[in-house]
Every structure is written in structure tokens, then in C-alpha cells.
């Protein structure tokens, strides 16, 4: 598989300014951060607030530029101004607040916004909007006003708006943080579907460990660095092994799914369960084995 | 001392074809010192219901009693009531407005007619209670981190020293650490100050862990008001409401179906641990 | 409920009027408004009434929605009618104390009222049959010639369209913040003017903060979706005149000419 995103030795500082806009202090958000992401993979980027997740996301599609280091998206350097639109087309971004990223007053118009910006011909836009709305299951709401939609529906419209630009990769920055459980489920389903059926690379930034259960790869960030990565460069081999380190995750201010937590607690109390049980089904199977 | 709702209904566009009930004929009594979890899918009437409990919304029918007094009766002092029944809205950090943290928290107590000095004392106390350190007091609330802002906003309500604290999804949008801090703080206030708590939440696991009673709303009607055990026993019905039971309840059911002799009605990790240790021990 | 406030009050049905190009409708509304001022004869008003009634019928918008906008101008309407009735000199019909009502006054008041009412109905008909998006699109296209004079027409249209999207959100937010502060004991309703103005601070500061936060979020989201101004932009629904628009323009022209002609026709009825 080819590398879609190659980030090498990134440094990025947040500037803290005083009232007169002079830089008072800097706070490192990324320090010597390197990460490569395979085309077509589903990567979950975890970490508590301020660990540098969102900063990295904004460097991928050139919303910000690194102080040091390089980011290549499909081989294009984000520093190169000429490829700016191409990069943003290839790596689309969905944000946390559903209300603050929908621009138009009609769902289909909003989905068309991106393609319109990059000068796609009219017939083609119509086709893409149609396709994108179907892919996220929002076609029935095509002519509705965004104000009539639930949070989860708005997020799916936002995703459709990116899909209509035919991206290689979608970066979702905590897309479910403001949603209710139904909305969360629908959004995640849509995202997984896009990954499986369309082969779109997904970078999902989240606080919820439950959302990482089905990812191909989990990267945990801390202090602008990688604390854990399931791709094998560090010690952890699979997402499951990351989940098995319950104490580590707690130290990184993450919560494990309750089933994993229960398995961990029982193991500590002397029940010989394996580490990193993720689902109820696995749990029942493991407990059955012990009964025999 | 209690909050009691009697046949409470709130109707939008009453008398027109667009008439809809936001809440319909709800009656309940919340005893002093209890911790109630309020659950229901989006649009089930939770927010409408809690806004009636401190008189922010006026019911179309029925009424609310606080300490056996009808809060919608002529001449009832609603402003004083709001000091007793504190309501923390969703994303409360969006109401911060003062130049520094301490002054913002003093807003509530001052509105209650307390002296500057008394208001300051209460604000300091409330801020300590939510875990905000002294050096943050003079900072602008807009400079704080998301979790800190949220806690300062909650302190703004706690500083009025309410007997009843209602929180509308206080953990929405926070990271796990922020969620843990807020819930820990609410649980502490409940334990140490015997505050009555009504917690609106989407997280069944949180509700199962903290609440001693659970109120379930479905399309504006009160579907259940009982102990977590009894409510989560109806997980099939809850699913038809667009809700679910905690993961642990489902796990217990699956284990029981697989032939384990486990109590089906548990809902927390702690209970599950005890149960599994019991059945595996023998 | 505050959420019910709709801006632009579009009435979603399918009709010939709905399907007309927004530019045609803008032009049609202008023509209709002009026609009310060029005519002064009863024949003209009868014709205008027929045309308006015809358009309303074609639009399939229920009549009660059309007249909704009239409530807003009721005060102006009453004022202008009473001024005209009482202050127009001429042949007196009857007297009310020192006020005298003249035949000319009654006629003039009647025409004035009719003009105002038709003005409102005519423009309501346009907003009821045109979505805000189409309306901004139509304005952007119709006013594109102003680009030559350095007016950033695209940017203005984009701002209008974003405002339309965010006004309902901010209205709802105002309501929420107001309630949240009331829950903290704030009082927005009592006290003298200065006290009331001061009481607005806890409402206005959070509202501004929120509006700025939304604006910066939105700017980021737009940039991430490759927005870079109007240059090189295409449209999903580009405005395109159809056959019906050409017919409409011809009808408008004929109508306007006839209305001008009514100035010179005298029918000895009144």
C-alpha cells in the first residue's frame, strides 16, 4: 500500500499573544512528530485535549503550516502554495460543531459548495451531489434547510460536502463530540461505509475509545508526540494490544470501553481472562472457556 | 422538602393544527437528597421539563410544587426559587461574560441580593468546590481550557447554594478527563452537601453509576421513574424509545442466556465484577 | 416559539411562479411596483388587481400567507389613510368636529391604501415563491454589472446568504443565554432604562463571543472546502432563462405599457 500522508519531524508552536498582538509566549503543540498513513486505512487518532491531535489535523490539509518538518499529501508538499487547492480536495476535513460548518440554507446547495469552489461543471456537480448524499444516507433531506436537521444529520451533510469533492482522505476532528448516541452511531456508520466501500482513507480524531474499536490502526498522542501507535514501530502491535494496556490508557487520560474495563478488573481480581477484550460477545466466549 | 410536578403539560401552538405536546401530563415527586438521572432521546421533552422546575417555562396545564408551594401561583417569588433550584444549561460556558472568573461566579449570588462580601465568599467556595485554583480567579473566563470553563460555569450556579441542582448534559463535548471531573464534582456535592441532583444525560453508563432513581421520558410522557435496576430491566422497551441500557446490563443478559447463573439486572462495572467473581468462584 | 421565526418565509410548493428565474421575479416585482405609481385611474387599479390575483392564483400559495405581511404595515397604513382622508382639501361629504372628510380625500386615501397593500402583497409574493438562496443568486447575477465599479457583488451575496443561515441560530442562542442568565437570577424585565441596558451585558457579551467563534469556525470550514472567493467558481444551479421567463418578460412589458396607457384613458364613471 502506498503512503497517502507522510509527516516527518513536525514542530508547531501555538503563539500566545497579548492585547497588542505581540507574541508573549509560545506553547509547543507538536514536537518532532512523525507519522505516515497508508492509503485506504482507517486510523483513529486519540488523546486528551491539548495533546496535539487537532493541530496535526490542520497541518494535513494546509490550514496551518509546520514551523519545522514537512507534510506530504499524496506526494504534494503542503508548503507549496500552488498545490493548496489540490491538497484540500484530496484531504477534506469535517469539524466538531455541526452548525458552524454548514454554509448554505439548503442541504444540496451545501454539498455542492466544495465542487463549486473548485470549478466543477454543472452537470458533474449535480451527479456528485446526488452520489454523495446517497453515500451518507441523506438523500431524503436534499431540499431541507440545515436548521431542520438533527446534529447527526448535519454532520452527515458535512461529510457529504467533502465526499462530493472526491477526496482520497477525510479527516474528522471529533465529529461526534456534540452528538447524541443515535447521531454518533449514524455518523460512524457512514464513515466506516466510506472507508470500506469507497476506499477513502479515514483519520478519525476522537476522545471515545469505543469509536476506535473498529479502526485498522490506533495512534495515541500525548504532549505533541506519539505515545502509542498500533502500526508496529513502537512496541504495540495491534489495536487490541493498545486496548489491553488499561492502566497506560488511563494515565493518558483516556477511558477504555466498559467491557474492556470489566475484563481488566476481573483479571486483577484473579480471573484468568485475556487482555484487551473489546466486545460483549468476546467476553461471553472467554468466560465460557473458563467455565469448561 | 421536595419538588413535585402535578399533571404537568406544555403545549406548543395550542389550539391550532400544529398543536404539539412537549411534555404531557407528567406527575412525580423527587425526594430531598436523591440523585435522579433523567434520560430520553433528543426531543423527548427533557429540556422543557427541567425548565419548568425552576419556573423558566410556564406550564400549559398542571403545576410544580416546591416545598409544597405552587411555584406558578400569583405572587410566588420565582427569583428566590431560582436560588434554591439551580439549573445548569447545556454548554454553560457560553454564558460566561465577566472580565474575570471570580466576578462571573459572583453574578448569581449578587442577583440574589447578597452583599459584595458575602457573594465573594460564596464564589470562592464554589470555585474551590469545582476544583478551580486561586490563581485562576483573576483570569478572564475566555482564556481557560474547555473543561475549566465548564467548571467555572457550574460554579456560577453552585455559588447560589441551591438545594436542588439540575444539570442538562453537563459533560457534552468534554474529553474523558473533563467528564470525569464534572461527574466527580457533582457526586461530591450530592454526598457532602446533601444536594438533590437531577442529571440529564445521554450516557446510560454514567446514569447507572451515579443515580439512585432514573426518570425516562418518551415523546413528552413519563415512561418510567424507578430505581436503575427496575428501569434497565426494561431494556427492550428502552430500545423502542431510541435509548439503550448500559453495556453491562446487556452483558449480564448475554451471560445469563449462555447459561451463567448471573443477576440480569445489574448495570455497573462494580456490580458485574462482584457477580462474576461470585459465579466463577463457586 | 422563537425557532418559528423564518427569514424569507418561503412557501414550498411547485408552481409556474416558483419555477420562474429569480431575476424574472425580481424584475416582475419592480415592474409591478412601478405600475402602481404610473397609473392613477380606476381602470389601472382594476387591471393591477386582476394581474396580482392571477399571479397569486398561479403561485398556489394560500391567500392567508400572502396577507400575513400586511400586519407589519398596519400602523403605517392607518396613518397614511387618516392623513389622506382628513387633510385633503376638496368637496366635503361630512364633518367630524373640526375635521372634514372630502370626496377627494376618500378617493386618495383609498388609492394610497391600495397602493401600499399591493406593494406589500407583490413583494411578499416574490419572497414566498423564491428561496433565500435563489434570491441572493438572483441579486448577485442582476447586480453583477456593479463589479465594474468595484462593488464586490459576490462577497456581498455570500454574506447575505450566510446571514440568512445564521440569523435563526443566533436568535435561538439569544433565547438560550437569556434563560441561562435568568436561571442565575438575572432580571431583564424590570428597572429603569439604564438598569435595563446594564442588564443586557450578560446577554450581549456571550452572544458576541459566540458569534465571533462561529464566524471563525465557519471561515475555517469554508477554507478547508477550497473556498477562495468568487473567482473560477461554478454553480450547481446556474441561473438560466427558460422559455417561460421570456414569456414572462413579454407579459411584463405589455402590462407596463397598458398601465402607462391608463393614464391617458378617461372613463367617465367616477
Amino acid at each position: 500500500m502506498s503512503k497517502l500522508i507522510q509527516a516527518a519531524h513536525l514542530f508547531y508552536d501555538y503563539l500566545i499573544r497579548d492585547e497588542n498582538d505581540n507574541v508573549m509566549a509560545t506553547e509547543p503543540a507538536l514536537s518532532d512528530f512523525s507519522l505516515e498513513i497508508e492509503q485506504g486505512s482507517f486510523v483513529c487518532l486519540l488523546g486528551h485535549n491539548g495533546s496535539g491531535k487537532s493541530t496535526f489535523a490542520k497541518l494535513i490539509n494546509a490550514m496551518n503550516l509546520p514551523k519545522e518538518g514537512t507534510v506530504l499529501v499524496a506526494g504534494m508538499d503542503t508548503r507549496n502554495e500552488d498545490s493548496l487547492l489540490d491538497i484540500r480536495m484530496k484531504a477534506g476535513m469535517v469539524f466538531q460543531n455541526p452548525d458552524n460548518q454548514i454554509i448554505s440554507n439548503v442541504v444540496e446547495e451545501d454539498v455542492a459548495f466544495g465542487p463549486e469552489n473548485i470549478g466543477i461543471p454543472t452537470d458533474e456537480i449535480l451527479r456528485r451531489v446526488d452520489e454523495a448524499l446517497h453515500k451518507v444516507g441523506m438523500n431524503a433531506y436534499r431540499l431541507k434547510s440545515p436548521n431542520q436537521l438533527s446534529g447527526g444529520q448535519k454532520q452527515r451533510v458535512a461529510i457529504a460536502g467533502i465526499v462530493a469533492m472526491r477526496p482520497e482522505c477525510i479527516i474528522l476532528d471529533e465529529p461526534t463530540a456534540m452528538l447524541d448516541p443515535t447521531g454518533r452511531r449514524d455518523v460512524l456508520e457512514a464513515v466506516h461505509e466510506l472507508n470500506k466501500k469507497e476506499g477513502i482513507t479515514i483519520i478519525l480524531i476522537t476522545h471515545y475509545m469505543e469509536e476506535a474499536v473498529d479502526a485498522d490502526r490506533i495512534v495515541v498522542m500525548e504532549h505533541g508526540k506519539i505515545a502509542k501507535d498500533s502500526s508496529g514501530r513502537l512496541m504495540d502491535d495491534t489495536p487490541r494490544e493498545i486496548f489491553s494496556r488499561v492502566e497506560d490508557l488511563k494515565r493518558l487520560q483516556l477511558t477504555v470501553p466498559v467491557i474492556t474495563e470489566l475484563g481488566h478488573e476481573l483479571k486483577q481480581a484473579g480471573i484468568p481472562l485475556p487482555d484487551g477484550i473489546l466486545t460483549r460477545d468476546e467476553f461471553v466466549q472467554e468466560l465460557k472457556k473458563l467455565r469448561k | 422538602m421536595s419538588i413535585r410536578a402535578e399533571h404537568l403539560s406544555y403545549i406548543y401552538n395550542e389550539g391550532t393544527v400544529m398543536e404539539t405536546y412537549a411534555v404531557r401530563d407528567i406527575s412525580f415527586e423527587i425526594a430531598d437528597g436523591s440523585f435522579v438521572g433523567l434520560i430520553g432521546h433528543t426531543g423527548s421533552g427533557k429540556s422543557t421539563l427541567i425548565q419548568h422546575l425552576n419556573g423558566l417555562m410556564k406550564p400549559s396545564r398542571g403545576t410544580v410544587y416546591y416545598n409544597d408551594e405552587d411555584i406558578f401561583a400569583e405572587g410566588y417569588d420565582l427569583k428566590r426559587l431560582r436560588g434554591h433550584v439551580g439549573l445548569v444549561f447545556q454548554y454553560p460556558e457560553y454564558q460566561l461574560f465577566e472580565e474575570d472568573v471570580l466576578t462571573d461566579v459572583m453574578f448569581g449570588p449578587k442577583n440574589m441580593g447578597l452583599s459584595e462580601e458575602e457573594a465573594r465568599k460564596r464564589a470562592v467556595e464554589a470555585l474551590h468546590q469545582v476544583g478551580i485554583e486561586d490563581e485562576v480567579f483573576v483570569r478572564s473566563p475566555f482564556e481557560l481550557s474547555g473543561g475549566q470553563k465548564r467548571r467555572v460555569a457550574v460554579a456560577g450556579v453552585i455559588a447560589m447554594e441551591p438545594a436542588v441542582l439540575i444539570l442538562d448534559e453537563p459533560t457534552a463535548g468534554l474529553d474523558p478527563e473533563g467528564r470525569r471531573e464534572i461527574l466527580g464534582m457533582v457526586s461530591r456535592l450530592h454526598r457532602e452537601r446533601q444536594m438533590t441532583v437531577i442529571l440529564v444525560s445521554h450516557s446510560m453508563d454514567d446514569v447507572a453509576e451515579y443515580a439512585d432513581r432514573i426518570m425516562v421520558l418518551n415523546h413528552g410522557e413519563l415512561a418510567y421513574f424507578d430505581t436503575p435496576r427496575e428501569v434497565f430491566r426494561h431494556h427492550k422497551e428502552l430500545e423502542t424509545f431510541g435509548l439503550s441500557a448500559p453495556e453491562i446490563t446487556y452483558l449480564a443478559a448475554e451471560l445469563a442466556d449462555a447459561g451463567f447463573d448471573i443477576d440480569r439486572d445489574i448495570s455497573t462495572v462494580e456490580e458485574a465484577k462482584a457477580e462474576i467473581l461470585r459465579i466463577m468462584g463457586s | 416559539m422563537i425557532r418559528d421565526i423564518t427569514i424569507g418565509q418561503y412557501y414550498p410548493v411547485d408552481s409556474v411562479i416558483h419555477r420562474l428565474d429569480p431575476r424574472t421575479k425580481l424584475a416582475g416585482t419592480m415592474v409591478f411596483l412601478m405600475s402602481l405609481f404610473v397609473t392613477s385611474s380606476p381602470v389601472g387599479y382594476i387591471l393591477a388587481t386582476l394581474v396580482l390575483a392571477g399571479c397569486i392564483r398561479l403561485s398556489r400559495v394560500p391567500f392567508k400567507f400572502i396577507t400575513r405581511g400586511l400586519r407589519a404595515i398596519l400602523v403605517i397604513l392607518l396613518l397614511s389613510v387618516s392623513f389622506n382622508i382628513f387633510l385633503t382639501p376638496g368637496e366635503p361629504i361630512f364633518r367630524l368636529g373640526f375635521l372634514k372628510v372630502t370626496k377627494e380625500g376618500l378617493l386618495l386615501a383609498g388609492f394610497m391604501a391600495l397602493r401600499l397593500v399591493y406593494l406589500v402583497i407583490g413583494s411578499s409574493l416574490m419572497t414566498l415563491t423564491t428561496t433565500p438562496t435563489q434570491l441572493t443568486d438572483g441579486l448577485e447575477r442582476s447586480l453583477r454589472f456593479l463589479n465594474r465599479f468595484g462593488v464586490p457583488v459576490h462577497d456581498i451575496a455570500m454574506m447575505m446568504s450566510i446571514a440568512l443561515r445564521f440569523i435563526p441560530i443566533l436568535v435561538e442562542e439569544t433565547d438560550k443565554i437569556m434563560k441561562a442568565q435568568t436561571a442565575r437570577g438575572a432580571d431583564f424585565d424590570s428597572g429603569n432604562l439604564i438598569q435595563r441596558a446594564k442588564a443586557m451585558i450578560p446577554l450581549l457579551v456571550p452572544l458576541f463571543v459566540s458569534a465571533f467563534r462561529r464566524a471563525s469556525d465557519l471561515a475555517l470550514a469554508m477554507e478547508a472546502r477550497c473556498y477562495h472567493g468568487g473567482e473560477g467558481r461554478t454553480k450547481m444551479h446556474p441561473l438560466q432563462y427558460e422559455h417561460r421567463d421570456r414569456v414572462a418578460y413579454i407579459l411584463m412589458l405589455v402590462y407596463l405599457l397598458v398601465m402607462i396607457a391608463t393614464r391617458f384613458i378617461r372613463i367617465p364613471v367616477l
Side-chain angles (χ1 to χ4, degrees):
Chain A
M1 270 202 272
S2 63
K3 309 278 184 213
L4 181 65
I5 288 159
Q6 294 163 284
H9 308 292
L10 297 182
F11 286 83
Y12 189 85
D13 291 340
Y14 271 115
L15 307 179
I16 300 163
R17 290 173 195 277
D18 66 10
E19 280 156 21
N20 302 320
D21 233 25
N22 300 316
V23 176
M24 265 170 30
T26 59
E27 207 169 305
L30 290 177
S31 50
D32 199 14
F33 177 88
S34 301
L35 186 69
E36 293 190 335
I37 288 170
E38 308 272 338
Q39 182 123 33
S41 59
F42 192 116
V43 180
C44 215
L45 205 53
L46 293 157
H48 61 83
N49 281 345
S51 58
K53 308 175 302 251
S54 301
T55 309
F56 173 57
K58 283 183 194 133
L59 293 185
I60 299 177
N61 70 347
M63 301 304 294
N64 288 331
L65 293 174
K67 193 178 89 178
E68 271 177 57
T70 50
V71 182
L72 301 183
V73 177
M76 294 178 284
D77 193 327
T78 58
R79 285 169 191 275
N80 184 352
E81 286 229 6
D82 295 335
S83 40
L84 196 68
L85 289 185
D86 283 325
I87 287 173
R88 289 185 183 156
M89 242 189 287
K90 284 225 152 61
M93 195 155 171
V94 174
F95 299 87
Q96 187 189 78
N97 191 322
D99 271 325
N100 298 358
Q101 56 184 320
I102 292 185
I103 292 117
S104 304
N105 297 289
V106 185
V107 166
E108 64 164 12
E109 301 260 350
D110 191 74
V111 178
F113 182 74
E116 287 178 344
N117 287 334
I118 50 180
I120 306 285
T122 298
D123 299 351
E124 174 73 13
I125 297 182
L126 281 167
R127 207 162 31 240
R128 286 190 183 196
V129 167
D130 205 50
E131 218 178 77
L133 282 169
H134 271 108
K135 280 179 190 163
V136 299
M138 285 298 292
N139 202 50
Y141 300 88
R142 204 179 165 133
L143 296 175
K144 291 256 190 278
S145 151
N147 292 331
Q148 294 168 293
L149 306 182
S150 72
Q153 291 171 332
K154 281 182 218 167
Q155 284 303 57
R156 280 187 285 155
V157 170
I159 294 170
I162 303 298
V163 171
M165 291 202 282
R166 301 259 164 92
E168 304 259 346
C169 164
I170 304 179
I171 307 144
L172 300 106
D173 192 356
E174 296 182 30
T176 60
M178 297 176 77
L179 306 183
D180 65 5
T182 321
R184 269 175 68 185
R185 202 190 52 222
D186 292 345
V187 166
L188 286 175
E189 254 169 39
V191 172
H192 276 286
E193 195 91 324
L194 288 171
N195 177 248
K196 277 197 208 94
K197 287 205 180 136
E198 314 294 327
I200 298 176
T201 309
I202 302 288
I203 302 174
L204 176 67
I205 297 177
T206 181
H207 299 311
Y208 295 102
M209 276 308 251
E210 293 89 338
E211 297 181 358
V213 169
D214 298 320
D216 299 329
R217 178 176 172 195
I218 294 176
V219 177
V220 183
M221 289 184 68
E222 167 84 345
H223 301 309
K225 285 195 171 79
I226 293 177
K228 292 194 171 294
D229 183 354
S230 69
S231 82
R233 276 200 302 113
L234 293 170
M235 311 212 351
D236 323 286
D237 275 320
T238 58
R240 186 173 303 277
E241 289 196 34
I242 287 188
F243 277 104
S244 70
R245 294 184 168 76
V246 173
E247 299 300 326
D248 283 7
L249 291 174
K250 285 192 171 165
R251 191 179 44 75
L252 293 166
Q253 300 181 13
L254 293 169
T255 47
V256 292
V258 277
I259 299 295
T260 315
E261 163 118 38
L262 177 62
H264 178 71
E265 296 257 322
L266 285 169
K267 192 181 178 198
Q268 297 222 306
I271 306 269
L273 284 167
D275 282 320
I277 297 180
L278 298 180
T279 65
R280 299 199 298 262
D281 200 40
E282 279 171 42
F283 192 96
V284 175
Q285 296 312 321
E286 291 297 340
L287 214 58
K288 268 188 181 166
K289 276 190 217 156
L290 290 179
R291 186 170 55 176
K292 277 166 195 158
Chain B
M1 299 264 277
S2 67
I3 288 190
R4 197 168 84 237
E6 270 182 15
H7 303 293
L8 199 70
S9 291
Y10 186 84
I11 310 166
Y12 285 119
N13 304 316
E14 196 176 358
T16 70
V17 279
M18 294 174 21
E19 184 173 294
T20 35
Y21 281 80
V23 295
R24 187 196 287 260
D25 197 21
I26 288 186
S27 302
F28 59 77
E29 177 161 5
I30 292 173
D32 238 14
S34 49
F35 195 126
V36 178
L38 176 54
I39 60 178
H41 61 90
T42 306
S44 61
K46 293 169 296 186
S47 296
T48 309
L49 177 62
I50 56 174
Q51 287 181 42
H52 280 88
L53 301 184
N54 74 344
L56 277 177
M57 285 178 93
K58 215 170 140 31
S60 308
R61 312 239 198 297
T63 191
V64 173
Y65 293 90
Y66 180 69
N67 293 343
D68 293 323
E69 280 182 87
D70 183 345
I71 68 167
F72 295 108
E74 194 77 28
Y76 187 88
D77 189 353
L78 279 175
K79 205 166 159 179
R80 233 188 77 228
L81 173 77
R82 290 179 187 134
H84 294 308
V85 181
L87 174 55
V88 178
F89 273 82
Q90 230 180 73
Y91 299 103
E93 59 274 24
Y94 293 166
Q95 34 171 293
L96 299 173
F97 69 99
E98 280 287 3
E99 281 181 34
D100 62 85
V101 166
L102 189 67
T103 320
D104 202 290
V105 177
M106 285 165 64
F107 181 67
K110 276 200 297 201
N111 283 330
M112 289 167 64
L114 296 178
S115 68
E116 188 84 10
E117 195 187 352
E118 179 68 12
R120 185 179 304 274
K121 213 184 98 210
R122 286 210 185 176
V124 169
E125 216 174 301
L127 282 164
H128 284 157
Q129 213 129 26
V130 300
I132 297 286
E133 294 100 18
D134 291 32
E135 60 263 30
V136 181
F137 288 7
V138 291
R139 285 176 55 190
S140 156
F142 301 109
E143 285 173 6
L144 308 180
S145 76
Q148 279 177 319
K149 272 188 202 166
R150 180 78 50 99
R151 279 181 286 146
V152 168
V154 176
V157 173
I158 293 174
M160 301 197 293
E161 299 189 352
V164 181
L165 183 63
I166 307 173
L167 303 108
D168 192 355
E169 287 182 52
T171 59
L174 294 182
D175 69 352
E177 182 68 9
R179 290 207 291 271
R180 205 182 49 76
E181 282 169 356
I182 293 279
L183 290 174
M185 174 196 90
V186 171
S187 146
R188 219 169 36 245
L189 285 167
H190 172 65
R191 267 197 330 269
E192 290 169 8
R193 287 206 183 178
Q194 283 77 47
M195 234 179 232
T196 307
V197 174
I198 302 174
L199 176 73
V200 180
S201 178
H202 278 308
S203 163
M204 298 303 145
D205 296 321
D206 290 348
V207 171
E209 189 172 343
Y210 293 103
D212 46 46
R213 306 269 280 170
I214 292 177
M215 194 182 282
V216 183
L217 286 190
N218 183 38
H219 293 300
E221 294 184 39
L222 186 61
Y224 300 105
F225 184 33
D226 216 321
T227 58
R229 236 183 131 75
E230 289 300 320
V231 169
F232 290 134
R233 179 172 288 167
H234 298 102
H235 56 83
K236 292 236 164 58
E237 287 85 350
L238 290 179
E239 277 161 31
T240 64
F241 303 165
L243 300 170
S244 57
E247 277 289 294
I248 295 293
T249 310
Y250 288 112
L251 178 71
E254 283 170 22
L255 285 171
D257 290 343
F260 287 95
D261 173 34
I262 191 170
D263 181 354
R264 277 175 179 269
D265 301 325
I266 53 174
S267 55
T268 66
V269 171
E270 219 166 296
E271 286 171 328
K273 186 178 163 189
E275 273 292 290
I276 291 170
L277 284 176
R278 179 182 65 77
I279 57 174
M280 297 307 283
S282 57
Chain C
M1 201 170 152
I2 237 158
R3 218 179 305 172
D4 289 342
I5 298 175
T6 49
I7 307 292
Q9 50 168 357
Y10 179 65
Y11 189 87
V13 286
D14 189 28
S15 79
V16 189
I17 305 280
H18 282 74
R19 267 176 278 153
L20 281 177
D21 190 285
R23 287 168 295 175
T24 314
K25 281 184 265 188
L26 278 168
T29 311
M30 293 307 287
V31 165
F32 184 71
L33 300 189
M34 260 159 31
S35 76
L36 292 176
F37 289 93
V38 295
T39 191
S40 54
S41 81
V43 180
Y45 281 100
I46 291 167
L47 186 60
T49 311
L50 289 176
V51 166
L52 190 59
C55 289
I56 292 174
R57 191 62 198 280
L58 281 175
S59 77
R60 298 177 51 207
V61 178
F63 195 66
K64 75 169 197 231
F65 278 89
I66 308 246
T67 50
R68 235 188 218 176
L70 290 178
R71 254 176 274 162
I73 60 148
L74 202 64
V75 180
I76 305 175
L77 194 64
L78 286 177
L79 269 177
S80 103
V81 165
S82 35
F83 273 124
N84 277 305
I85 287 182
F86 296 120
L87 300 179
T88 312
E91 184 187 327
I93 300 177
F94 61 89
R95 284 170 189 279
L96 261 173
F98 65 96
L99 295 165
K100 67 170 196 266
V101 176
T102 63
K103 184 180 157 196
E104 286 79 1
L106 270 181
L107 268 179
L108 202 60
F111 284 141
M112 270 311 275
L114 218 53
R115 244 179 222 171
L116 261 172
V117 168
Y118 282 12
L119 218 119
V120 172
I121 292 183
S123 31
S124 300
L125 189 62
M126 180 182 65
T127 53
L128 282 163
T129 58
T130 318
T131 62
T133 322
Q134 288 173 330
L135 207 58
T136 37
D137 265 11
L139 280 172
E140 182 180 353
R141 274 297 288 273
S142 312
L143 301 178
R144 203 153 63 177
F145 68 93
L146 288 175
N147 264 334
R148 259 175 284 157
F149 307 105
V151 181
V153 179
H154 167 79
D155 300 322
I156 293 171
M158 181 57 85
M159 281 192 264
M160 269 175 64
S161 141
I162 289 174
L164 283 170
R165 156 126 181 76
F166 279 88
I167 286 168
I169 294 176
L170 288 177
V171 168
E172 201 177 320
E173 186 144 9
T174 309
D175 180 52
K176 227 161 70 188
I177 296 170
M178 207 151 169
K179 276 182 170 164
Q181 305 297 28
T182 310
R184 292 167 78 189
D187 194 345
F188 294 102
D189 301 321
S190 54
N192 60 35
L193 209 61
I194 296 169
Q195 282 167 324
R196 279 195 196 200
K198 257 181 91 179
M200 294 305 274
I201 294 173
L203 174 65
L204 292 178
V205 174
L207 199 60
F208 276 122
V209 171
S210 153
F212 280 113
R213 186 175 36 84
R214 286 182 193 280
S216 90
D217 279 8
L218 191 71
L220 200 68
M222 288 172 74
E223 213 184 318
R225 286 166 75 182
C226 298
Y227 182 70
H228 54 283
E231 208 180 311
R233 236 179 152 253
T234 46
K235 286 261 178 199
M236 173 167 65
H237 297 303
L239 295 179
Q240 230 166 11
Y241 282 130
E242 304 279 337
H243 189 56
R244 56 174 167 267
D245 293 299
R246 287 184 277 275
V247 174
Y249 273 109
I250 294 170
L251 290 176
M252 275 182 237
L253 188 68
V254 172
Y255 167 72
L256 192 61
L257 289 175
V258 172
M259 285 299 268
I260 293 170
T262 58
R263 288 182 77 100
F264 309 106
I265 303 171
R266 293 213 151 269
I267 300 174
V269 190
L270 289 158

